[in-house]
Amino acid sequence: EDDVDAAVQSAKKAFPKWSALDPRERAKYMFRIARRIQERARELAVLESMDGGKPIAESRDVDIPLAAAHFFYHAGWCDKLKYVFPGADPKPIGVCGHIIPWNFPLLMAAWKLAPALACGNTCVLKPAETTSLTTLRLAAILEEIELPPGVVNIITGAGATGQLLVNHPHVRKIAFTGSTEVGKHIAKACASTDKKLTLELGGKSPNIIFEDASIDQAIEGIIQGIYFNQGHVCCAGSRLFVAESSLDEVIAKLTHRMKSLRVGDPLDKNTDIGAINSKAQLATIHKYLDAGRGEGATFHEVNRQPLASKGYWCRPCFFTDVQPSHTIARDEIFGPVLAVMSFRTPEEALTRANNTPYGLAAGVWTDKGSKIFEIARKLKAGVIWCNTYNRFDPASPFGGFKESGFGREGGMHGLRAYVDL
């Protein structure tokens, strides 16, 4: 409790000077952060893979470059906020509390910190208790670029630490990425206060493949969306809906492609699927695999390569003969597990895709542009990818609705949560 209070008081003390700083000077600090992340990219990528178990190829080619890109992008907005909100006088809101998950530690930190700093706020950031290494190394980077003391404060700890941050009276804004259950508790805690709140929560995202889609391209999108990141993203395309006439072809090609995926040492650049983050998470995945078999779905695990004896491993797998009522079709698994279902008409595909309490992301695969826009308009998801999946850009807002949360991160939309108008 003393540590959390000290961090918040430090941010509160630094706020007047940081918020009054010439926006162009704030931008210089953010450019320096981005450049230093690029300079230390190899080190940060290795740390990320050692800490969270994801393949080094993903850490190196996705996480670290995107983290730097978010600081670069938001640095450009520092002196242009009046153009984002025409006719208004945007002011920073004060101390922002950020709580991030274990699946994209450094990238999530950048998502939270960059817009807050660009708008003139100070921050207290709490990484997940199992993946704090790159966030703590980011603290060292902030010292190296001589960011003024107190502007960013990083604290570690489990759920109780996050709860103290949420309930602290001097925190004006909470940004949380994590489970829907915890998000509901945070929303309840903030409801009786004047705190601003944005939540990016769970998902059970659908991928819809129509009969006129490029099947090979779609298969790569499925692999990218659920297996390369071990299913450890809230927006993972963990429900696959395939036009009935294409189902056999998709299953055959998916099976063939999965045979080539390598499960193993996250620091090996040839590894496709690394280690599961923790023993508890692996146990959760196995619980869902048992539920899928027990409810009558057909289990497919085609990649039978030997797994290392040390560490927590899960082979990529998928289920067919899945019904919408099955647990594996409703709950977020957070592992390399895909539920495959079929449909006969676009209306049926939409109905089944939208039949979820979540609304974070979705994918549409078809060669007809008119069909893409027609389906996308009717999908109840915050982010929709068309003929691709899991592509991110700092200029594009990200976020969900329904039980996937509210508010946006990235783009001009993401700045709104960090200013008073």
Side-chain angles (χ1 to χ4, degrees), residues 145-164:
I145 64 105
E146 298 180 348
L147 188 72
V151 173
V152 174
N153 307 269
I154 295 175
I155 54 175
T156 56
T161 308
Q163 187 174 8
L164 289 168

Side-chain angles (χ1 to χ4, degrees), residues 227 250-252 254-255 258 289 298-302 315-320 322 328 336-340:
Y227 294 130
V250 168
I251 294 298
L254 180 62
T255 301
M258 284 176 59
L289 295 181
T298 303
F299 180 65
H300 302 261
E301 188 182 64
V302 297
R315 294 185 181 92
C317 56
F318 66 92
F319 284 92
T320 54
V322 178
I328 54 172
V337 184
L338 180 66
V340 182

Side-chain angles (χ1 to χ4, degrees), residues 326-387:
H326 285 174
T327 302
I328 54 172
R330 292 185 288 106
D331 291 0
E332 184 177 34
I333 299 175
F334 244 61
V337 184
L338 180 66
V340 182
M341 293 166 272
S342 64
F343 64 89
R344 293 182 179 179
T345 65
E347 291 73 22
E348 182 186 3
L350 281 165
T351 300
R352 301 185 79 174
N354 289 332
N355 182 24
T356 173
Y358 299 109
L360 188 55
V364 181
W365 301 86
T366 172
D367 279 350
K368 289 187 171 64
S370 59
K371 186 185 291 185
I372 280 179
F373 290 113
E374 178 70 14
I375 296 298
R377 189 164 60 246
K378 296 177 180 178
L379 280 169
K380 296 177 181 177
V383 180
I384 299 171
W385 286 287
C386 302
N387 289 333

